[in-house]
């Protein structure tokens, strides 16, 4: 039986995503999966969106094989609940597979289950999480991390990735792939957290420079100087720089570097292409220049990110 632990102001997709994965996988495998939504108090639990989910009390959780802890706006309060923490600890002692989605990692960490273990959480929570739980070996750029019977995943939609990996363990890779096809998602996403997308991080990326940024991402081996971009936008260099900063929240130089970093990281992590060729094709030209940019942005050189991706 799969248990999904929620609390007031939980993130709806943190719970509904894994629920849908296990529901579809069980049907495809011919082994319908029993799924229970659990909360400290039985009844309707309001999510951060205002939509409510009906939950059972913690006492109805006997027979659990897996416990998935949702995240969301109310996670800090939930992580201070003695009943939640005791419930999670007891489940772990009984050999239940424990998992978290997004900031649900706070509950598991507060219960002491992540001390000395590898884990991940939503990238916006990284600094606070590290400061709060220094004993956790946080891997901030991972979609999900498994350390023994403890699984943690990154922001929101990554709960689907985690659940698909669990399905592969429970029912086999083929059922996991079929489930992913049914959901129209990747069976296994490559690279790190999708929330790091440079186009998404830029303020107002759908404004008048949207097409320019898309073009730049597709032509990273071009010079992409301010003069080059300004000419492409049909503006003077000075006016272009002022307008670009006002709309995107960053300079043209930094925006281009972020785009190059995003594509270079994807190539480093998901291909065996030589680092020198990646540097050239993404416009860094010099591998040393790309290495310094990686360390500034990700805290690791390209080779370390590649080794970590292959190990996972």
């Amino acid at each position: 039986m799969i248990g999904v632990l929620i609390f007031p102001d939980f993130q709806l997709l943190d719970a509904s995503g894994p629920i849908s994965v296990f529901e579809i996988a069980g049907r495809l495998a011919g082994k319908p999966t029993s799924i229970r939504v659990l909360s400290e108090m039985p009844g309707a639990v309001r999510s951060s969106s205002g939509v409510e989910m009906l939950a059972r009390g913690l006492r109805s959780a006997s027979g659990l094989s897996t416990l998935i802890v949702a995240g969301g706006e109310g996670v800090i309060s939930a992580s201070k609940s003695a009943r939640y923490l005791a419930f999670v600890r007891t489940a772990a002692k009984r050999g239940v597979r424990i998992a978290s989605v997004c900031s649900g990692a706070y509950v598991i960490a507060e219960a002491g289950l992540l001390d000395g273990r590898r884990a991940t959480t939503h990238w916006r929570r990284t600094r606070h999480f590290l400061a709060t739980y220094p004993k956790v070996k946080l891997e901030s750029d991972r979609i999900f991390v498994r350390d023994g019977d403890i699984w943690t995943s990154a922001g929101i939609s990554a709960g689907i990735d985690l659940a698909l990996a669990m399905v592969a363990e429970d029912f086999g890779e083929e059922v996991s792939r079929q489930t992913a096809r049914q959901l129209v998602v990747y069976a296994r996403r490559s690279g790190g957290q999708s929330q790091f997308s440079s186009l998404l991080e830029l303020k107002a990326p759908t404004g008048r420079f949207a097409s320019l940024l898309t073009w730049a991402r597709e032509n990273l081996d071009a010079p992409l100087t301010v003069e080059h971009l300004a000419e492409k936008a049909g503006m003077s260099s000075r006016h272009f720089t002022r307008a670009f900063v006002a709309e995107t929240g960053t300079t043209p130089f930094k925006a281009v570097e972020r785009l190059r970093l995003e594509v270079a990281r994807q190539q480093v992590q998901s291909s065996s292409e030589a680092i020198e060729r990646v540097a050239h094709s993404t416009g860094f030209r010099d591998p040393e220049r790309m290495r310094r940019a990686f360390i500034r942005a990700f805290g690791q050189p390209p080779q370390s990110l590649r080794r970590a991706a292959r190990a996972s």
Side-chain angles (χ1 to χ4, degrees), residues 247-288:
E247 181 165 311
T248 68
T250 191
T251 65
F253 174 82
K254 289 182 178 178
V256 168
E257 182 173 78
R258 285 161 71 175
L259 292 173
R260 284 179 167 143
L261 279 166
E262 179 184 41
V263 174
R265 184 183 61 180
Q266 290 173 351
Q267 292 183 15
V268 164
Q269 291 181 316
S270 61
S271 78
S272 57
E273 191 172 9
I275 299 298
E276 291 77 9
R277 293 193 62 182
V278 173
H280 188 271
S281 66
T282 54
F284 282 106
R285 307 298 179 191
D286 179 9
E288 177 58 25

Side-chain angles (χ1 to χ4, degrees), residues 14-45:
D14 285 6
S16 61
I19 287 171
S20 296
V21 169
F22 282 106
E23 178 261 318
I24 292 170
R27 179 155 31 87
L28 291 171
K31 300 176 182 178
T33 303
S34 176
I35 305 170
R36 289 186 182 176
V37 179
L38 306 167
S39 189
E40 189 172 23
M41 298 295 293
V45 181

Side-chain angles (χ1 to χ4, degrees), residues 73-293:
E73 294 301 314
V75 74
I76 300 300
S77 295
S79 69
K80 304 306 178 184
S81 165
R83 287 195 66 193
Y84 279 130
L85 297 180
F87 177 73
V88 172
R89 291 188 190 109
T90 300
K93 288 179 181 177
R94 291 176 177 171
V96 174
R97 182 173 57 179
I98 307 293
S100 66
V101 181
C102 192
S103 55
Y106 277 78
V107 176
I108 300 179
E110 191 68 29
L113 301 183
L114 293 181
D115 288 355
R117 291 181 181 267
R118 296 161 45 247
T120 192
T121 189
H122 193 286
W123 64 274
R124 284 194 183 277
R125 301 267 189 172
T126 297
R127 290 185 180 180
H128 183 264
F129 191 92
L130 281 171
T132 308
Y133 305 109
K135 294 181 180 179
V136 180
K137 299 175 182 178
L138 193 68
E139 299 185 5
S140 59
D141 190 34
R142 295 285 297 277
I143 297 294
F144 68 86
V145 171
R146 177 186 183 181
D147 192 325
D149 282 337
I150 306 293
W151 303 56
T152 53
S153 62
I156 307 176
S157 66
I160 294 175
D161 298 84
L162 178 144
L164 285 169
M166 288 181 163
V167 165
E169 180 175 72
D170 295 346
F171 301 118
E173 289 286 350
E174 182 55 30
V175 171
S176 180
R177 283 193 292 269
Q178 289 179 19
T179 302
R181 285 197 292 269
Q182 180 73 13
L183 289 165
V184 197
V185 298
Y186 287 109
R188 183 166 287 118
R189 274 194 280 179
S190 62
Q193 292 197 45
S194 62
Q195 295 91 339
F196 279 104
S197 171
S198 296
L199 285 176
L200 291 176
E201 284 183 358
L202 294 173
K203 185 176 69 176
T206 56
R208 57 177 163 169
F209 295 120
S211 60
L212 178 66
L213 289 168
T214 300
W215 174 85
R217 195 180 190 281
E218 295 171 351
N219 294 273
L220 292 176
D221 57 345
L224 299 184
T225 61
V226 170
E227 292 74 20
H228 191 190
L229 294 171
E231 181 181 358
K232 185 73 177 176
M235 303 166 69
S236 70
S237 297
R238 181 176 296 181
H239 179 53
F240 168 75
T241 300
R242 287 200 301 265
F244 190 91
V245 171
E247 181 165 311
T248 68
T250 191
T251 65
F253 174 82
K254 289 182 178 178
V256 168
E257 182 173 78
R258 285 161 71 175
L259 292 173
R260 284 179 167 143
L261 279 166
E262 179 184 41
V263 174
R265 184 183 61 180
Q266 290 173 351
Q267 292 183 15
V268 164
Q269 291 181 316
S270 61
S271 78
S272 57
E273 191 172 9
I275 299 298
E276 291 77 9
R277 293 193 62 182
V278 173
H280 188 271
S281 66
T282 54
F284 282 106
R285 307 298 179 191
D286 179 9
E288 177 58 25
R289 179 186 168 196
M290 187 174 81
R291 188 187 73 84
R292 292 195 298 269

